Amino acid sequence: MDENVEGHRQELRRGTIVLASLSLLTTPGHGYGLLDALAAHGFPVDANTLYPLLRRLEKQGYLVSEWNTDEARPRKMYRTSEAGTALVDTLTTDFDAIAGAIAALPKEG
């Protein structure tokens, strides 16, 4: 695929990864599990992209975390905060409006 096209696709997906991550983390999970869940839902993302995103969303107050020490190896568990849930609602409304506007554009043909 043309690298310019791929660059545009990545830009388009960038914001949807935030929305998908916050939506999936309404059920607490760890980063590796989130990578799998995102891929299973059609949002493949690299770990080098996801982990900084999780830290940024936590710093902004959209995620909360705690360490799960029940297993042999401790894991940081994330879940969407109340502010994150509100952001999901806002972004979903905006995404739906954008998708509707794009669908209403004239089609070549």
Side-chain angles (χ1 to χ4, degrees):
M1 176 171 295
D2 181 319
E3 83 178 46
N4 289 326
V5 171
E6 188 56 33
H8 287 295
R9 289 179 76 200
Q10 285 179 345
E11 278 185 51
L12 184 61
R13 285 184 37 235
R14 194 165 287 137
T16 60
I17 297 299
V18 169
L19 178 55
S21 296
L22 289 172
S23 295
L24 288 169
L25 288 173
T26 56
T27 301
H30 53 82
Y32 186 77
L34 181 58
L35 282 170
D36 288 344
L38 286 167
H41 285 88
F43 299 93
V45 63
D46 185 80
N48 293 328
T49 299
L50 182 64
Y51 286 103
L53 172 68
L54 293 174
R55 286 190 295 273
R56 180 172 56 89
L57 291 173
E58 183 178 19
K59 184 177 181 183
Q60 292 171 341
Y62 298 121
L63 290 175
V64 293
S65 68
E66 60 185 39
W67 286 96
N68 179 351
T69 56
D70 294 342
E71 299 175 22
R73 190 174 137 207
R75 291 182 174 202
K76 192 171 190 179
M77 301 294 285
Y78 295 93
R79 94 178 141 69
T80 305
S81 68
E82 193 173 308
T85 300
L87 180 60
V88 167
D89 292 343
T90 299
L91 293 179
T92 299
T93 299
D94 290 351
F95 183 86
D96 290 344
I98 291 166
I102 289 172
L105 291 172
K107 306 289 187 261
E108 185 178 358

XYZ file of all heavy atoms in Angstrom:
836
model
N 0.846 -1.183 0.000
C 0.000 0.000 0.000
C 0.887 1.241 0.000
O 1.932 1.270 0.620
C -0.907 -0.020 1.239
C -1.753 1.215 1.360
S -2.999 1.132 2.644
C -4.009 -0.169 2.011
N 0.433 2.257 -0.666
C 1.132 3.534 -0.740
C 1.390 4.058 0.672
O 0.485 4.077 1.509
C 0.245 4.507 -1.528
C 0.839 5.876 -1.707
O 1.436 6.405 -0.759
O 0.686 6.433 -2.807
N 2.629 4.476 0.960
C 2.949 4.915 2.330
C 2.187 6.172 2.724
O 1.902 6.376 3.899
C 4.455 5.069 2.524
C 5.054 6.362 2.060
C 6.541 6.430 2.351
O 7.254 5.459 2.078
O 6.962 7.481 2.840
N 1.815 7.016 1.748
C 0.997 8.190 2.072
C -0.392 7.766 2.546
O -0.919 8.312 3.512
C 0.868 9.120 0.866
C 2.163 9.835 0.562
O 2.931 10.167 1.460
N 2.413 10.064 -0.713
N -0.957 6.783 1.870
C -2.275 6.278 2.268
C -2.181 5.681 3.666
O -3.040 5.935 4.521
C -2.796 5.237 1.246
C -4.051 4.556 1.772
C -3.065 5.889 -0.094
N -1.146 4.905 3.918
C -0.988 4.290 5.241
C -0.854 5.356 6.327
O -1.404 5.219 7.417
C 0.215 3.345 5.257
C 0.321 2.523 6.523
C -0.920 1.692 6.835
O -1.607 1.215 5.909
O -1.219 1.526 8.035
N -0.143 6.432 6.048
C -0.012 7.529 7.009
C -1.358 8.153 7.337
O -1.655 8.445 8.510
N -2.189 8.331 6.325
C -3.530 8.893 6.557
C -4.405 7.922 7.348
O -5.174 8.340 8.215
C -4.200 9.248 5.225
C -3.613 10.452 4.570
N -3.683 11.708 5.117
C -2.915 10.575 3.417
C -3.075 12.571 4.330
N -2.580 11.900 3.287
N -4.277 6.643 7.070
C -5.040 5.643 7.822
C -4.639 5.662 9.291
O -5.490 5.562 10.180
C -4.828 4.254 7.236
C -5.502 4.077 5.886
C -5.253 2.716 5.317
N -6.108 1.776 6.023
C -5.875 0.478 6.055
N -4.853 -0.044 5.441
N -6.698 -0.319 6.710
N -3.345 5.784 9.563
C -2.878 5.831 10.947
C -3.414 7.063 11.658
O -3.818 6.988 12.817
C -1.350 5.800 11.004
C -0.775 4.443 10.716
C 0.741 4.434 10.764
O 1.398 5.469 10.745
N 1.310 3.248 10.823
N -3.428 8.207 10.976
C -3.993 9.423 11.582
C -5.464 9.226 11.929
O -5.909 9.635 13.002
C -3.867 10.609 10.617
C -2.517 11.268 10.625
C -2.513 12.501 9.749
O -3.416 13.356 9.904
O -1.604 12.605 8.916
N -6.201 8.623 11.015
C -7.625 8.387 11.234
C -7.856 7.461 12.425
O -8.739 7.687 13.245
C -8.249 7.790 9.970
C -9.751 7.572 9.975
C -10.497 8.892 10.164
C -10.163 6.901 8.678
N -7.023 6.433 12.566
C -7.177 5.458 13.647
C -6.737 5.985 15.002
O -7.198 5.511 16.033
C -6.372 4.193 13.319
C -7.000 3.339 12.271
C -6.253 2.042 12.014
N -5.695 1.464 13.200
C -4.394 1.149 13.346
N -3.542 1.369 12.395
N -3.955 0.607 14.457
N -5.840 6.962 15.031
C -5.242 7.408 16.291
C -6.300 7.775 17.336
O -6.242 7.315 18.471
C -4.308 8.587 16.031
C -3.393 8.893 17.185
C -2.267 9.809 16.777
N -1.319 9.058 15.962
C -0.752 9.506 14.852
N -1.014 10.708 14.415
N 0.081 8.767 14.180
N -7.255 8.581 16.980
C -8.294 8.968 17.934
C -9.236 7.833 18.284
O -9.757 7.771 19.395
N -9.446 6.927 17.333
C -10.347 5.822 17.619
C -9.737 4.851 18.616
O -10.472 4.194 19.353
C -10.761 5.075 16.334
O -9.607 4.538 15.693
C -11.500 5.994 15.374
N -8.414 4.780 18.685
C -7.746 3.909 19.663
C -8.029 4.409 21.082
O -8.254 3.620 21.996
C -6.227 3.821 19.396
C -5.954 3.197 18.027
C -5.511 3.061 20.503
C -6.459 1.791 17.849
N -8.050 5.726 21.266
C -8.378 6.298 22.579
C -9.798 5.890 22.962
O -10.039 5.379 24.059
C -8.229 7.839 22.573
C -8.813 8.447 23.845
C -6.772 8.239 22.403
N -10.721 6.108 22.057
C -12.125 5.785 22.325
C -12.307 4.287 22.586
O -12.971 3.893 23.551
C -13.001 6.238 21.151
C -14.488 5.945 21.238
C -15.097 6.506 22.511
C -15.187 6.495 20.007
N -11.690 3.460 21.764
C -11.821 2.008 21.944
C -11.197 1.551 23.266
O -11.775 0.727 23.973
C -11.179 1.278 20.768
N -10.036 2.091 23.607
C -9.364 1.703 24.853
C -10.205 2.065 26.063
O -10.406 1.236 26.964
C -7.990 2.370 24.956
O -7.136 1.920 23.935
N -10.699 3.287 26.100
C -11.526 3.711 27.229
C -12.813 2.896 27.307
O -13.271 2.540 28.396
C -11.843 5.205 27.132
C -10.680 6.155 27.381
C -11.075 7.592 27.053
C -10.180 6.051 28.819
N -13.379 2.563 26.158
C -14.602 1.752 26.139
C -14.335 0.350 26.667
O -15.115 -0.179 27.464
C -15.161 1.677 24.716
O -15.582 2.942 24.279
N -13.240 -0.259 26.227
C -12.928 -1.625 26.659
C -12.525 -1.685 28.129
O -12.762 -2.698 28.791
C -11.817 -2.210 25.787
C -12.238 -2.553 24.349
C -11.021 -2.862 23.501
C -13.218 -3.731 24.357
N -11.931 -0.617 28.635
C -11.456 -0.634 30.025
C -12.533 -0.260 31.041
O -12.236 -0.077 32.213
C -10.215 0.244 30.183
C -8.956 -0.348 29.544
C -7.812 0.649 29.576
C -8.559 -1.654 30.222
N -13.788 -0.210 30.610
C -14.856 -0.094 31.609
C -14.874 -1.378 32.442
O -15.323 -1.383 33.569
C -16.236 0.165 30.963
O -16.520 -0.874 30.029
C -16.267 1.523 30.280
N -14.355 -2.459 31.852
C -14.043 -3.688 32.582
C -12.539 -3.659 32.814
O -11.781 -3.583 31.846
C -14.423 -4.932 31.750
O -15.811 -4.881 31.461
C -14.078 -6.206 32.496
N -12.078 -3.670 34.071
C -10.639 -3.532 34.333
C -9.796 -4.557 33.566
O -10.209 -5.698 33.365
C -10.523 -3.773 35.843
C -11.867 -3.404 36.375
C -12.844 -3.817 35.304
N -8.636 -4.097 33.123
C -7.741 -4.978 32.393
C -6.322 -4.453 32.407
O -6.074 -3.308 32.774
N -5.398 -5.297 32.000
C -3.994 -4.898 31.919
C -3.641 -4.615 30.461
O -4.403 -4.952 29.542
C -3.079 -5.957 32.538
C -3.288 -7.326 31.992
N -2.734 -7.753 30.809
C -4.018 -8.366 32.469
C -3.090 -8.996 30.581
N -3.882 -9.393 31.575
N -2.496 -4.000 30.253
C -2.103 -3.553 28.922
C -2.053 -4.654 27.888
O -2.563 -4.495 26.773
N -1.453 -5.789 28.232
C -1.325 -6.876 27.266
C -2.699 -7.410 26.855
O -2.968 -7.656 25.680
C -0.457 -8.008 27.841
C -0.172 -9.082 26.833
C 0.780 -8.889 25.840
C -0.864 -10.290 26.865
C 1.031 -9.872 24.892
C -0.620 -11.279 25.930
C 0.332 -11.068 24.945
O 0.574 -12.036 24.011
N -3.577 -7.555 27.828
C -4.937 -8.004 27.521
C -5.671 -6.995 26.657
O -6.456 -7.369 25.779
N -5.417 -5.710 26.894
C -6.043 -4.665 26.090
C -5.542 -4.725 24.653
O -6.327 -4.539 23.720
C -5.790 -3.290 26.703
C -6.413 -2.103 25.966
C -7.933 -2.237 25.851
C -6.045 -0.801 26.670
N -4.256 -4.996 24.466
C -3.719 -5.158 23.104
C -4.505 -6.225 22.351
O -4.909 -6.023 21.197
C -2.239 -5.550 23.146
C -1.232 -4.456 23.428
C 0.153 -5.069 23.668
C -1.182 -3.458 22.297
N -4.712 -7.371 23.002
C -5.462 -8.472 22.384
C -6.909 -8.072 22.111
O -7.456 -8.355 21.035
C -5.440 -9.711 23.274
C -4.086 -10.400 23.301
O -3.248 -10.124 22.413
O -3.864 -11.217 24.217
N -7.544 -7.435 23.082
C -8.950 -7.041 22.924
C -9.110 -6.017 21.805
O -10.047 -6.105 21.001
C -9.499 -6.488 24.237
N -8.201 -5.057 21.743
C -8.265 -4.065 20.664
C -8.141 -4.746 19.306
O -8.909 -4.464 18.381
C -7.168 -3.011 20.841
C -7.392 -1.991 21.952
C -6.110 -1.214 22.241
C -8.535 -1.040 21.601
N -7.163 -5.643 19.172
C -6.969 -6.351 17.904
C -8.202 -7.173 17.546
O -8.638 -7.194 16.385
C -5.732 -7.232 17.976
N -8.796 -7.830 18.533
C -9.983 -8.657 18.291
C -11.176 -7.826 17.822
O -12.052 -8.329 17.122
C -10.350 -9.430 19.558
N -11.195 -6.553 18.208
C -12.294 -5.666 17.810
C -11.945 -4.823 16.581
O -12.652 -3.861 16.261
C -12.679 -4.751 18.985
C -13.453 -5.456 20.038
N -12.859 -6.124 21.088
C -14.784 -5.623 20.197
C -13.785 -6.651 21.853
N -14.971 -6.371 21.331
N -10.836 -5.147 15.916
C -10.487 -4.443 14.679
C -9.637 -3.211 14.867
O -9.573 -2.362 13.976
N -8.975 -3.089 16.015
C -8.104 -1.950 16.301
C -6.692 -2.432 16.611
O -6.226 -2.309 17.743
C -8.620 -1.149 17.509
C -9.979 -0.556 17.322
C -11.114 -1.235 17.744
C -10.132 0.683 16.733
C -12.374 -0.689 17.592
C -11.395 1.238 16.564
C -12.509 0.555 16.992
N -6.002 -3.003 15.634
C -4.638 -3.462 15.930
C -3.752 -2.270 16.290
O -3.797 -1.227 15.629
C -4.186 -4.124 14.634
C -5.031 -3.502 13.569
C -6.336 -3.161 14.235
N -3.003 -2.416 17.369
C -2.129 -1.335 17.824
C -0.860 -1.965 18.389
O -0.897 -3.062 18.941
C -2.862 -0.441 18.862
C -3.225 -1.191 20.104
C -2.059 0.786 19.204
N 0.226 -1.260 18.239
C 1.519 -1.721 18.727
C 1.660 -1.382 20.214
O 1.174 -0.346 20.668
C 2.608 -1.010 17.908
C 3.982 -1.500 18.241
O 4.366 -2.567 17.731
O 4.677 -0.800 19.005
N 2.340 -2.253 20.956
C 2.567 -2.011 22.385
C 3.296 -0.697 22.623
O 3.022 0.001 23.603
C 3.350 -3.167 22.997
N 4.199 -0.334 21.732
C 4.943 0.929 21.878
C 4.060 2.150 21.691
O 4.458 3.257 22.026
C 6.112 0.977 20.901
C 7.174 -0.045 21.235
O 7.393 -0.369 22.395
N 7.809 -0.579 20.215
N 2.895 1.959 21.145
C 1.909 3.037 21.021
C 0.950 3.003 22.200
O 0.589 4.041 22.758
C 1.115 2.882 19.704
O 2.024 2.964 18.606
C 0.048 3.951 19.570
N 0.531 1.794 22.590
C -0.509 1.666 23.614
C -0.040 2.077 25.004
O -0.740 2.815 25.699
C -1.042 0.236 23.658
C -2.172 0.030 24.669
C -3.398 0.852 24.296
C -2.522 -1.445 24.787
N 1.112 1.609 25.434
C 1.526 1.881 26.816
C 1.717 3.376 27.103
O 1.240 3.862 28.139
C 2.748 1.046 27.195
C 2.371 -0.402 27.402
C 2.651 -1.366 26.440
C 1.693 -0.812 28.541
C 2.288 -2.696 26.619
C 1.318 -2.137 28.733
C 1.618 -3.066 27.768
O 1.242 -4.374 27.956
N 2.348 4.142 26.210
C 2.393 5.597 26.459
C 0.997 6.230 26.474
O 0.731 7.153 27.249
C 3.235 6.144 25.296
C 4.049 4.985 24.835
C 3.184 3.775 25.067
N 0.087 5.707 25.634
C -1.288 6.205 25.619
C -1.960 5.953 26.962
O -2.617 6.844 27.516
C -2.078 5.543 24.494
C -3.580 5.836 24.480
C -3.831 7.298 24.150
C -4.280 4.919 23.513
N -1.782 4.750 27.508
C -2.378 4.437 28.812
C -1.835 5.357 29.900
O -2.601 5.855 30.731
C -2.123 2.973 29.180
C -2.818 1.930 28.314
C -2.370 0.527 28.704
C -4.330 2.067 28.387
N -0.541 5.602 29.889
C 0.054 6.512 30.895
C -0.495 7.927 30.741
O -0.808 8.595 31.737
C 1.576 6.502 30.783
C 2.200 5.221 31.327
C 3.709 5.311 31.448
N 4.372 5.449 30.167
C 4.733 4.427 29.386
N 4.500 3.185 29.771
N 5.346 4.648 28.239
N -0.646 8.380 29.500
C -1.172 9.727 29.253
C -2.623 9.832 29.718
O -3.006 10.802 30.391
C -1.057 10.075 27.768
C -1.591 11.465 27.439
C -1.292 11.881 26.011
N -1.764 10.967 25.007
C -2.965 11.013 24.440
N -3.845 11.939 24.795
N -3.303 10.136 23.515
N -3.439 8.831 29.387
C -4.844 8.860 29.803
C -4.988 8.795 31.327
O -5.873 9.432 31.898
C -5.619 7.713 29.139
C -5.816 7.843 27.632
C -6.429 6.571 27.070
C -6.663 9.060 27.293
N -4.089 8.061 31.969
C -4.108 8.012 33.432
C -3.717 9.374 34.014
O -4.370 9.880 34.930
C -3.169 6.919 33.940
C -3.213 6.769 35.446
C -2.331 5.648 35.956
O -1.410 5.202 35.236
O -2.560 5.232 37.106
N -2.685 9.978 33.471
C -2.235 11.295 33.943
C -3.338 12.347 33.756
O -3.501 13.239 34.587
C -0.970 11.708 33.192
C -0.365 12.998 33.659
C 0.926 13.302 32.924
C 1.530 14.600 33.426
N 2.743 14.962 32.698
N -4.108 12.216 32.684
C -5.191 13.157 32.410
C -6.444 12.869 33.241
O -7.399 13.641 33.211
C -5.546 13.129 30.917
C -4.452 13.675 30.029
C -4.721 13.434 28.551
O -5.520 12.574 28.163
N -4.049 14.198 27.711
N -6.450 11.752 33.965
C -7.580 11.417 34.832
C -8.662 10.583 34.180
O -9.715 10.360 34.780
N -8.424 10.091 32.959
C -9.434 9.297 32.264
C -9.342 7.807 32.593
O -10.270 7.058 32.337
C -9.344 9.508 30.751
C -9.598 10.946 30.369
C -8.645 11.688 29.690
C -10.791 11.574 30.699
C -8.872 13.008 29.343
C -11.030 12.904 30.371
C -10.070 13.606 29.690
O -10.293 14.914 29.368
N -8.212 7.396 33.147
C -8.022 6.029 33.614
C -7.520 6.065 35.046
O -6.845 7.018 35.440
C -6.971 5.286 32.770
C -7.307 4.909 31.345
C -6.093 4.291 30.662
C -8.487 3.953 31.302
N -7.846 5.032 35.796
C -7.250 4.820 37.117
C -6.585 3.448 37.061
O -6.944 2.594 36.247
C -8.284 4.904 38.262
C -8.822 6.323 38.395
C -9.421 3.925 38.044
N -5.596 3.254 37.920
C -4.899 1.967 37.902
C -4.580 1.515 39.314
O -4.581 2.312 40.252
C -3.602 2.071 37.098
O -2.673 2.888 37.775
N -4.325 0.236 39.422
C -3.843 -0.350 40.663
C -3.062 -1.606 40.285
O -3.255 -2.176 39.209
C -4.975 -0.670 41.625
C -5.998 -1.644 41.103
C -7.161 -1.832 42.068
O -7.606 -0.854 42.689
O -7.616 -2.977 42.189
N -2.178 -1.991 41.167
C -1.369 -3.174 40.918
C -2.085 -4.410 41.393
O -2.569 -4.467 42.526
C -0.006 -3.054 41.612
C 0.888 -2.090 40.899
C 1.084 -0.777 41.202
C 1.682 -2.357 39.745
N 1.952 -0.211 40.303
C 2.338 -1.157 39.402
C 1.899 -3.490 38.963
C 3.203 -1.055 38.316
C 2.760 -3.392 37.883
C 3.393 -2.185 37.572
N -2.172 -5.419 40.542
C -2.724 -6.720 40.900
C -1.541 -7.615 41.258
O -0.724 -7.940 40.407
C -3.507 -7.307 39.729
C -4.071 -8.668 40.034
O -3.768 -9.274 41.058
N -4.891 -9.170 39.134
N -1.458 -7.997 42.521
C -0.343 -8.830 42.978
C -0.797 -10.260 43.270
O -0.088 -11.009 43.928
C 0.301 -8.207 44.238
O -0.704 -8.049 45.239
C 0.931 -6.864 43.930
N -1.968 -10.640 42.758
C -2.502 -11.985 42.988
C -1.727 -13.052 42.215
O -1.732 -14.213 42.592
C -3.980 -12.057 42.594
C -4.847 -11.200 43.491
O -4.395 -10.826 44.593
O -5.982 -10.890 43.074
N -1.096 -12.652 41.119
C -0.366 -13.606 40.284
C 1.122 -13.548 40.610
O 1.576 -12.683 41.350
C -0.609 -13.283 38.809
C -2.081 -13.374 38.425
C -2.342 -12.947 36.998
O -1.392 -12.982 36.178
O -3.482 -12.576 36.704
N 1.864 -14.469 40.039
C 3.311 -14.528 40.297
C 3.998 -13.231 39.888
O 4.918 -12.762 40.565
C 3.928 -15.710 39.549
N 3.545 -12.660 38.791
C 4.119 -11.411 38.312
C 3.084 -10.287 38.466
O 1.997 -10.366 37.885
C 4.498 -11.573 36.839
C 5.302 -10.440 36.305
C 5.759 -10.743 34.886
N 5.562 -9.524 34.115
C 5.344 -9.478 32.836
N 5.288 -10.572 32.130
N 5.198 -8.338 32.234
N 3.387 -9.254 39.243
C 2.419 -8.163 39.417
C 2.088 -7.488 38.075
O 2.955 -7.357 37.218
C 3.133 -7.177 40.341
C 4.206 -7.964 40.998
C 4.589 -9.032 40.032
N 0.834 -7.107 37.922
C 0.393 -6.425 36.705
C -0.367 -5.171 37.085
O -1.153 -5.161 38.024
C -0.541 -7.311 35.890
C 0.139 -8.491 35.283
C -0.851 -9.269 34.476
N -0.171 -10.338 33.783
C -0.631 -10.920 32.713
N -1.782 -10.557 32.213
N 0.042 -11.885 32.140
N -0.138 -4.136 36.309
C -0.876 -2.898 36.503
C -2.224 -3.034 35.794
O -2.284 -3.292 34.601
C -0.089 -1.714 35.936
C -0.643 -0.377 36.355
C 0.321 0.736 35.949
C -0.075 2.046 36.568
N 0.855 3.122 36.218
N -3.278 -2.898 36.559
C -4.634 -3.021 36.029
C -5.221 -1.621 35.851
O -5.124 -0.783 36.753
C -5.507 -3.834 36.973
C -5.004 -5.244 37.238
S -5.037 -6.296 35.783
C -6.783 -6.632 35.683
N -5.809 -1.390 34.708
C -6.414 -0.096 34.389
C -7.922 -0.242 34.320
O -8.442 -1.295 33.964
C -5.935 0.387 33.013
C -4.470 0.692 32.929
C -3.569 -0.271 32.513
C -3.991 1.952 33.262
C -2.218 0.006 32.422
C -2.636 2.245 33.169
C -1.751 1.270 32.746
O -0.424 1.555 32.660
N -8.601 0.851 34.637
C -10.040 0.913 34.398
C -10.417 2.363 34.120
O -9.767 3.301 34.575
C -10.818 0.296 35.547
C -11.284 1.185 36.588
C -12.096 0.472 37.673
N -11.747 1.048 38.943
C -12.081 2.286 39.299
N -12.777 3.035 38.503
N -11.715 2.764 40.461
N -11.465 2.519 33.342
C -11.940 3.842 32.959
C -12.531 4.543 34.180
O -13.333 3.965 34.913
C -13.002 3.713 31.849
O -12.430 2.961 30.774
C -13.434 5.064 31.338
N -12.107 5.780 34.396
C -12.618 6.577 35.517
C -13.972 7.185 35.140
O -14.435 7.063 33.996
C -11.629 7.691 35.845
O -11.600 8.635 34.782
N -14.563 7.873 36.092
C -15.818 8.577 35.811
C -15.609 9.619 34.714
O -16.439 9.757 33.807
C -16.320 9.239 37.103
C -17.730 9.737 37.029
C -18.235 10.226 38.377
O -18.135 9.480 39.370
O -18.724 11.370 38.422
N -14.497 10.346 34.779
C -14.179 11.331 33.733
C -13.962 10.629 32.392
O -14.341 11.153 31.335
C -12.938 12.139 34.111
N -13.355 9.441 32.423
C -13.148 8.672 31.201
C -14.455 8.217 30.578
O -14.614 8.234 29.357
N -15.397 7.827 31.422
C -16.713 7.424 30.931
C -17.422 8.603 30.269
O -18.042 8.446 29.208
C -17.564 6.851 32.081
O -16.881 5.703 32.620
C -18.948 6.451 31.619
N -17.307 9.775 30.876
C -17.897 10.976 30.278
C -17.223 11.285 28.939
O -17.897 11.682 27.971
C -17.770 12.160 31.232
N -15.905 11.087 28.866
C -15.182 11.321 27.613
C -15.636 10.326 26.543
O -15.819 10.701 25.385
C -13.673 11.227 27.833
C -12.807 11.460 26.595
C -13.037 12.853 26.003
C -11.335 11.255 26.929
N -15.840 9.070 26.914
C -16.348 8.074 25.964
C -17.691 8.531 25.389
O -17.904 8.464 24.177
C -16.493 6.680 26.623
C -17.310 5.730 25.759
C -15.127 6.080 26.904
N -18.577 9.006 26.248
C -19.890 9.473 25.782
C -19.733 10.633 24.795
O -20.367 10.645 23.734
C -20.762 9.904 26.966
C -21.177 8.737 27.845
O -21.075 7.577 27.405
O -21.591 9.002 28.998
N -18.879 11.592 25.140
C -18.658 12.758 24.273
C -18.044 12.349 22.942
O -18.516 12.767 21.873
C -17.746 13.783 24.981
O -18.394 14.222 26.177
C -17.437 14.972 24.093
N -16.988 11.535 22.999
C -16.304 11.124 21.770
C -17.191 10.248 20.891
O -17.137 10.352 19.657
C -15.003 10.394 22.097
C -13.898 11.225 22.753
C -12.674 10.356 23.038
C -13.519 12.416 21.885
N -18.016 9.412 21.511
C -18.922 8.567 20.734
C -19.940 9.425 19.996
O -20.219 9.202 18.807
C -19.622 7.536 21.638
O -18.618 6.706 22.238
C -20.598 6.674 20.851
N -20.491 10.419 20.674
C -21.437 11.339 20.037
C -20.767 12.065 18.875
O -21.331 12.154 17.777
C -21.985 12.351 21.067
O -22.676 11.630 22.093
C -22.919 13.358 20.417
N -19.557 12.567 19.110
C -18.821 13.266 18.050
C -18.495 12.327 16.889
O -18.637 12.695 15.724
C -17.525 13.878 18.594
C -17.768 15.045 19.528
O -18.926 15.514 19.645
O -16.791 15.497 20.161
N -18.056 11.106 17.217
C -17.717 10.138 16.173
C -18.943 9.815 15.320
O -18.863 9.771 14.090
C -17.151 8.860 16.808
C -16.712 7.848 15.799
C -15.440 7.904 15.256
C -17.571 6.855 15.374
C -15.033 6.978 14.312
C -17.176 5.927 14.429
C -15.901 5.986 13.900
N -20.081 9.599 15.976
C -21.312 9.302 15.235
C -21.692 10.462 14.321
O -22.125 10.242 13.177
C -22.457 8.988 16.195
C -22.285 7.652 16.911
O -21.451 6.820 16.459
O -22.967 7.445 17.937
N -21.532 11.698 14.800
C -21.848 12.871 13.979
C -20.907 12.960 12.776
O -21.342 13.247 11.655
C -21.762 14.143 14.825
N -19.626 12.695 13.002
C -18.658 12.735 11.902
C -18.957 11.633 10.891
O -18.939 11.865 9.674
C -17.220 12.612 12.455
C -16.848 13.879 13.231
C -16.209 12.353 11.334
C -15.597 13.732 14.084
N -19.239 10.423 11.379
C -19.562 9.316 10.473
C -20.810 9.630 9.647
O -20.851 9.340 8.445
C -19.750 8.018 11.267
N -21.793 10.244 10.277
C -23.013 10.635 9.556
C -22.734 11.684 8.494
O -23.262 11.622 7.378
N -21.884 12.650 8.852
C -21.542 13.706 7.900
C -20.769 13.131 6.707
O -21.004 13.506 5.563
C -20.724 14.798 8.591
N -19.873 12.209 6.973
C -19.108 11.577 5.888
C -20.036 10.745 5.000
O -19.946 10.787 3.765
C -17.962 10.725 6.448
C -16.879 11.654 7.029
C -17.372 9.800 5.381
C -15.788 10.954 7.786
N -20.969 10.023 5.626
C -21.897 9.211 4.865
C -22.781 10.061 3.958
O -23.214 9.607 2.895
C -22.762 8.373 5.810
N -23.014 11.309 4.352
C -23.872 12.200 3.573
C -23.126 12.909 2.440
O -23.753 13.567 1.610
C -24.512 13.242 4.504
N -21.822 12.773 2.413
C -21.050 13.398 1.322
C -21.382 12.718 -0.003
O -21.658 11.521 -0.038
C -19.547 13.282 1.595
C -19.002 14.105 2.767
C -17.543 13.729 3.030
C -19.142 15.595 2.488
N -21.321 13.488 -1.090
C -21.586 12.864 -2.399
C -20.544 11.788 -2.706
O -19.374 11.943 -2.372
C -21.484 14.021 -3.392
C -21.109 15.230 -2.624
C -21.005 14.893 -1.175
N -20.996 10.718 -3.297
C -20.110 9.615 -3.685
C -19.748 9.743 -5.150
O -20.593 10.110 -5.972
C -20.792 8.254 -3.453
C -21.323 8.033 -2.054
C -20.186 7.848 -1.051
C -20.700 7.468 0.298
N -20.802 8.537 1.248
N -18.509 9.436 -5.453
C -18.080 9.436 -6.854
C -18.714 8.222 -7.524
O -18.788 7.147 -6.946
C -16.557 9.346 -6.915
C -16.014 9.462 -8.314
C -14.497 9.414 -8.340
O -13.862 9.337 -7.277
O -13.966 9.436 -9.444
N -19.163 8.393 -8.715
C -19.687 7.198 -9.302
C -20.435 7.382 -10.513
O -20.951 6.719 -11.223
